[in-house]
Amino acid sequence: MSGRLPAWLEEWFGIGTSAPGEGTVWRLDAQWNWPPWVTLLATAAAVTWVAILYARESTDATRRIKGLLTLLRLGAIGVLVLMVSELVLTFQRTGLPTVAVILDVSGSMAVGVQTASTTPSPSSLQAAPGDPLPGSPAPQGPAADSRRIRDGEVTRLDLAKDLLTGNKTAWLRRIHRRYNLTVYTAATNATPMADDLEPLIQTIRTLSADGPGSEQTRLGTVLRQILSDLKGVPPTAIVLLSDGITTDGETLVDAATFAGRRGVPLFTVALGDDKPVVDVELVDLLVDDTVFLGDILNFEVRITARGLTNTKITVQLKENLNDQILAETDVLLEPDQQSQTVRLPYRSTQAGRFEFTVEALPVDGEIQTENNRQTRLVSVHEEKIRVLLAQAQPNYEYRYLKHLLERDTTIQLHVHLQEADSEYSAIDQSAIPVFPVRREALFEYDVIILGDLDLQRMTRSNQTHLREFVEQKGGGLIMIAGDCYFPDQYRDVPELAVLFPFRAVSKSVDTTSRETEAKDAGFVLRPTELGLASGPMQLGNTPEENQRIWQELPALWWFLEIGKVKQAARVLAEHPTRMADDGRPLPVILLQFVGAGKVLFHATDETWRWRFRIGDGFFARYWIQSIRYLARSKLVGSDREVALSVDQHEVRRGDAVRIRVRFFDETVAPAEDHGVTVVVERVGGKRRRIILQRDALHRGIFQAMFGTIEPGRYHVLLVQPNVEGRTPTDDFRVIAPPGELENITLDTAELAEAAAVSRGKYYPLDEAGDLPGDLPEGHQVPIQQLPPMPLWNRWWMIVLFLGLLISEWVLRKRKGMM
């Protein structure tokens, strides 16, 4: 037998009263060596024997008297047995069962909530240490973020404080009455708090969620640590007040499973909002860093959103010097965490070096806004471009193009007309009598426009120099198909075949006769997706306007049905209805990188028709932009020849990083589309070779995605091609975990499962007031063994034995049973 001893019996037995939080447990022990079944059999035999004796007693005594005598006899026998067994009363000092309370104080607990289920008391909303006084300067850094989140609203930590210390629930006081209370704060590690109740309450009321270690949450690790600290005296239960977010280490469910195996239930209280966190992130901004004055700069950036679906956000382009908005677009976000590309075009209006920022305006509920912007430096140059326009006959394309380029002040134009009179070059200042013969003379030009030129009037050296102009100098070449000489005469010329973006050597070229082409058979040129993103084809100031203009341009009537497109060629525009043998639309405008230069091929010579009823507007914009794009290699935007970069220098674990190699002088870029190789080395780990792919529209840019990354520091090194001077390198770091504010969504599933696997209970905030009453009673914890008290030889035990015997004798005598 055992039980808890009341305080008055502690005094009566003379063992002293228990200290606060302690108690005394008593137990009866005896020196009885008989097996239980023998003891039970002997007891039954004694009862039966005494009952039979009195049943056979011949007397006038009533059955009630006989029953009383039987009980007195059995009582005396029982007391005698206790005395013989040396009955002893033992005492043991015990402590109250332990309940551990874990209070999450990580950065995500500073997130504000809007709830009517719990109203924090004034005491729980005291200013945290380090909070600025009214009128003081706003803090900066992570602390500023969490304080900004708290301003004007109740935080998750405030709710936890109110549950523990507020007048309405007063958890700590209720738990302290029944248990030995131990409280821990938790973020990176578990930190025990004061043991005394009143100082503990005051300390909790001043806690903040921006202290040391609050940048990470390791709930699973914390739970393991507490179980290890209390392994000598396992707690009856553990109470966790948290948003359930674990950013690093063991998961809460795994640690709770371990606690359940040790018989320690976990009672979890959910604090926060389980709606997805709202965040918009801009990464990987791409723009030409060196352009001509008047060029359109296309700022392309990848945007990823979390917690937002079918939501419109505004993305702006600004020039940082005067904070002027240069371009703006509304973006309909893709489903959660799907990346999409946004393009903001801007036409440069001043020469100089400018810093531009692309920024997504914050949306309602967005907390982390530092990742909403990307910044780049761009140099805008005002230089003349030397252009040579060569043609056999002065068709409409030649005439309108010549007049356009002569009027443009940024272009220095020379023209060569093969079938012109000998006096033509003397009359026209821009005309030259012959196609440049010397290599040096041809290399003085930046762009050559080769129209329907009679190849028989060109020498073999002209052909060689033209190829070298593209491959070696890095010049830009525009080839315009015609129905007289080009490209029929060129298909069997190996010197020039390499410049074609299609294979015309083994297949004859079929052209459609202009005379038989019906007017209603005209077609509106259709840009490809790649074409709409390319610089030359930006006819509008926004992507929407640009696409609309292309759809509304006047129709073209004639085009060349070319052969099979080379693999390295890029199709920028195609026929809307006519298909090639492989089922693809027939290409009309193609781009190809050849050696150090670029070739733009037109399968039509009727772009002049775009002037119909609207003048030079779009015709001029297209041609000037194309010439500037091809001449971009003459601008070197940096003292460096090659730069290697990564799009993010701090990457979350599991994310991919984009590696980019840029040749500022495009003429030195490898001719092959896969001509760049880098080595990615994890510091202290393995090395991997990554082959980069040339960008579709930029000859000097090669890039690749590097994924499946483990945490650590990485070094990226360019190994191919070899470059003079210092080898380009870059570094990045993969971090684990993500920042506290990367994910602030209440993880109810994690909290509920952790409670279930440990045989505890999960509480939403509005039901958390019942938790202290639901905690298990637990077992008293032995602290001290007190001296035993023998009962068998006590005077009152002998008196009891004799009293029973005398009572039986007196009663028998009075009833005449002697």
Side-chain angles (χ1 to χ4, degrees), residues 571-598:
V571 178
L572 303 185
E574 59 194 12
H575 197 285
T577 57
R578 300 282 289 274
M579 299 294 171
D581 295 339
D582 57 3
R584 299 179 182 180
L586 287 170
V588 180
I589 300 179
L590 301 95
L591 174 68
Q592 181 179 228
F593 300 120
V594 180
K598 298 185 280 284

Side-chain angles (χ1 to χ4, degrees), residues 410-655:
T410 65
I411 292 177
Q412 183 178 345
L413 178 67
H414 286 163
V415 297
H416 170 59
L417 196 60
Q418 286 181 324
E419 299 182 8
D421 297 335
S422 57
E423 296 84 7
Y424 176 66
S425 58
I427 300 173
D428 192 329
Q429 294 182 354
S430 64
I432 57 176
V434 295
F435 193 87
V437 178
R438 293 186 305 109
R439 185 175 184 269
E440 294 77 10
L442 190 65
F443 276 34
E444 289 180 359
Y445 295 101
D446 301 310
V447 176
I448 297 175
I449 304 175
L450 203 64
D452 195 10
L453 202 65
D454 187 355
L455 190 61
Q456 294 182 358
R457 300 189 183 189
M458 296 179 63
T459 65
R460 178 69 67 176
S461 62
N462 287 147
Q463 301 169 13
T464 302
H465 295 162
L466 188 60
R467 176 176 176 175
E468 292 174 349
F469 169 79
V470 177
E471 289 185 330
Q472 299 179 17
K473 180 184 184 295
L477 176 63
I478 302 178
M479 308 175 79
I480 305 175
D483 55 357
C484 293
Y485 309 108
F486 189 68
D488 277 350
Q489 289 187 357
Y490 294 72
R491 61 182 181 180
D492 296 323
V493 180
E495 289 291 333
L496 299 180
V498 69
L499 302 178
F500 284 85
F502 57 92
R503 303 189 183 281
V505 175
S506 59
K507 181 177 180 180
S508 61
V509 178
D510 179 25
T511 62
T512 303
S513 172
R514 297 180 195 267
E515 289 75 12
T516 60
E517 187 76 28
K519 186 175 182 179
D520 59 359
F523 64 93
V524 176
L525 194 64
R526 184 176 65 189
T528 62
E529 184 176 348
L530 181 63
L532 289 172
S534 66
M537 304 187 71
Q538 302 305 306
L539 302 186
N541 293 324
T542 65
E544 295 77 17
E545 182 185 9
N546 185 48
Q547 190 166 17
R548 178 184 58 79
I549 290 174
W550 279 102
Q551 293 172 351
E552 296 176 356
L553 284 177
L556 308 180
W557 293 2
W558 177 87
F559 79 105
L560 176 73
E561 294 187 12
I562 62 176
K564 185 177 181 181
V565 176
K566 292 181 180 178
Q567 187 174 1
R570 282 81 167 161
V571 178
L572 303 185
E574 59 194 12
H575 197 285
T577 57
R578 300 282 289 274
M579 299 294 171
D581 295 339
D582 57 3
R584 299 179 182 180
L586 287 170
V588 180
I589 300 179
L590 301 95
L591 174 68
Q592 181 179 228
F593 300 120
V594 180
K598 298 185 280 284
V599 176
L600 186 66
F601 182 85
H602 282 198
T604 180
D605 60 356
E606 292 192 348
T607 61
W608 59 271
R609 293 187 184 273
W610 293 341
R611 301 179 69 261
F612 183 66
R613 292 182 178 176
I614 56 176
D616 276 344
F618 301 133
F619 175 76
R621 181 170 289 189
Y622 171 79
W623 276 102
I624 297 300
Q625 288 177 169
S626 296
I627 290 172
R628 290 180 173 182
Y629 171 74
L630 296 176
R632 193 74 54 80
S633 62
K634 74 175 295 182
L635 301 178
V636 179
S638 171
D639 294 336
R640 298 170 296 167
E641 185 179 82
V642 185
L644 185 151
S645 63
V646 295
D647 64 340
Q648 302 175 77
H649 287 92
E650 192 169 78
V651 188
R652 293 195 302 253
R653 177 177 55 193
D655 288 352

Side-chain angles (χ1 to χ4, degrees), residues 260-548:
R261 289 199 296 265
R262 296 189 58 178
V264 181
L266 181 63
F267 291 75
T268 60
V269 180
L271 302 172
D273 193 344
D274 57 3
K275 294 180 181 178
V277 61
V278 175
D279 184 41
V280 177
E281 181 180 15
L282 300 185
V283 296
D284 199 19
L285 175 60
L286 180 63
V287 64
D288 290 322
D289 61 350
T290 306
V291 296
F292 288 103
L293 179 64
D295 278 356
I296 285 186
L297 291 165
N298 284 305
F299 293 82
E300 290 187 3
V301 65
R302 286 192 296 121
I303 183 169
T304 303
R306 291 185 294 172
L308 295 169
T309 302
N310 296 326
T311 302
K312 273 190 177 182
I313 65 169
T314 300
V315 181
Q316 295 179 341
L317 171 66
K318 296 181 179 180
E319 200 273 297
N320 291 356
L321 183 62
N322 53 24
D323 202 33
Q324 178 185 0
I325 299 176
L326 306 176
E328 183 177 276
T329 185
D330 291 331
V331 180
L332 183 63
L333 296 176
E334 297 288 345
D336 198 28
Q337 298 192 40
Q338 289 191 16
S339 177
Q340 61 192 107
T341 299
V342 177
R343 180 163 56 89
L344 289 169
Y346 166 67
R347 189 177 301 277
S348 56
T349 58
Q350 290 182 336
R353 189 168 176 83
F354 303 93
E355 185 178 54
F356 297 95
T357 295
V358 177
E359 178 179 11
L361 298 185
V363 298
D364 292 340
E366 185 176 10
I367 293 175
Q368 184 170 347
T369 58
E370 285 75 12
N371 59 0
N372 284 37
R373 63 187 63 87
Q374 290 281 312
T375 301
R376 291 293 184 271
L377 284 172
V378 177
S379 294
V380 181
H381 295 262
E382 186 174 8
E383 295 188 21
K384 282 187 175 294
I385 304 173
R386 293 174 56 86
V387 178
L388 172 61
L389 172 59
Q391 178 88 7
Q393 301 175 358
N395 61 5
Y396 286 115
E397 190 85 335
Y398 170 84
R399 293 173 183 176
Y400 286 116
L401 187 55
K402 177 179 180 293
H403 294 158
L404 168 68
L405 300 182
E406 285 177 332
R407 295 193 304 270
D408 193 289
T409 58
T410 65
I411 292 177
Q412 183 178 345
L413 178 67
H414 286 163
V415 297
H416 170 59
L417 196 60
Q418 286 181 324
E419 299 182 8
D421 297 335
S422 57
E423 296 84 7
Y424 176 66
S425 58
I427 300 173
D428 192 329
Q429 294 182 354
S430 64
I432 57 176
V434 295
F435 193 87
V437 178
R438 293 186 305 109
R439 185 175 184 269
E440 294 77 10
L442 190 65
F443 276 34
E444 289 180 359
Y445 295 101
D446 301 310
V447 176
I448 297 175
I449 304 175
L450 203 64
D452 195 10
L453 202 65
D454 187 355
L455 190 61
Q456 294 182 358
R457 300 189 183 189
M458 296 179 63
T459 65
R460 178 69 67 176
S461 62
N462 287 147
Q463 301 169 13
T464 302
H465 295 162
L466 188 60
R467 176 176 176 175
E468 292 174 349
F469 169 79
V470 177
E471 289 185 330
Q472 299 179 17
K473 180 184 184 295
L477 176 63
I478 302 178
M479 308 175 79
I480 305 175
D483 55 357
C484 293
Y485 309 108
F486 189 68
D488 277 350
Q489 289 187 357
Y490 294 72
R491 61 182 181 180
D492 296 323
V493 180
E495 289 291 333
L496 299 180
V498 69
L499 302 178
F500 284 85
F502 57 92
R503 303 189 183 281
V505 175
S506 59
K507 181 177 180 180
S508 61
V509 178
D510 179 25
T511 62
T512 303
S513 172
R514 297 180 195 267
E515 289 75 12
T516 60
E517 187 76 28
K519 186 175 182 179
D520 59 359
F523 64 93
V524 176
L525 194 64
R526 184 176 65 189
T528 62
E529 184 176 348
L530 181 63
L532 289 172
S534 66
M537 304 187 71
Q538 302 305 306
L539 302 186
N541 293 324
T542 65
E544 295 77 17
E545 182 185 9
N546 185 48
Q547 190 166 17
R548 178 184 58 79

Side-chain angles (χ1 to χ4, degrees), residues 78-122:
V79 172
L80 180 63
V81 171
L82 292 177
M83 295 174 65
V84 172
S85 65
E86 300 182 2
L87 184 66
V88 175
L89 180 63
T90 61
F91 304 99
Q92 194 174 44
R93 284 275 192 254
T94 61
L96 295 175
T98 298
V99 168
V101 176
I102 305 175
L103 177 56
D104 187 352
V105 293
S106 61
S108 61
M109 292 293 288
V111 174
V113 295
Q114 299 296 334
T115 176
S117 59
T118 302
T119 303
S121 61

